[in-house]
Amino acid sequence: QVQLMESGGASVQAGGSLRLSCTASGEAGSTRCMGWFRQAPGREREGVARIFTHDGSTYYAMSVKGRFTISQDNAKNTVYLQMSSLKHEDTAMYYCVAVPVGRACVTLNAPDLWDYWGQGTQVTVSS
């Protein structure tokens, strides 16, 4: 069983920056597809970004493209989400997600395809 541990959520003002971290443990192998979803109160889960740690390829939702950057540190089994130019509408619980080692990346449009979820870290952006 894979465990995902997020950190880095905080309250910031609009225009500010935050970096979220997610460390994976519990499964042999370090290359996998990992990503971030978010969910605001009363709204559906939204896929934000994903990365395939084998080659570093990334994909972003249009709502965050150009403002958020997902990156990896394979030696630490950790992925990061650098968030800049934050907006009030970025306020949400952010969840780290992953699929089993050896499986291809899956779409951000289908939350149910991601096998593993972290507990979430809250990001609040005040306008």
Side-chain angles (χ1 to χ4, degrees):
Q1 185 70 17
V2 173
Q3 293 82 42
L4 302 174
M5 180 64 69
E6 306 106 328
S7 62
S11 296
V12 296
Q13 290 191 331
S17 299
L18 276 177
R19 189 178 79 159
L20 306 182
S21 300
C22 172
T23 299
S25 61
E27 184 178 29
S30 61
T31 58
R32 67 171 81 242
C33 192
M34 297 183 69
W36 292 91
F37 276 73
R38 66 186 181 184
Q39 187 168 25
R43 302 190 66 177
E44 294 186 352
R45 289 175 293 180
E46 176 191 15
V48 174
R50 71 167 197 227
I51 186 167
F52 185 39
T53 62
H54 175 67
D55 60 8
S57 57
T58 59
Y59 182 85
Y60 298 92
M62 286 302 297
S63 58
V64 305
K65 200 168 186 179
R67 300 188 298 121
F68 291 10
T69 301
I70 189 170
S71 61
Q72 65 195 58
D73 184 336
N74 285 352
K76 297 181 179 179
N77 281 341
T78 298
V79 295
Y80 305 96
L81 186 68
Q82 178 68 47
M83 305 184 293
S84 303
S85 301
L86 283 163
K87 306 175 182 179
H88 177 67
E89 49 264 42
D90 294 318
T91 296
M93 185 71 78
Y94 283 71
Y95 297 93
C96 180
V97 296
V99 299
V101 170
R103 178 128 60 93
C105 266
V106 296
T107 176
L108 290 171
N109 294 325
D112 291 344
L113 294 182
W114 294 83
D115 293 72
Y116 308 118
W117 290 71
Q119 293 297 308
T121 186
Q122 178 68 37
V123 173
T124 302
V125 184
S126 56
S127 54

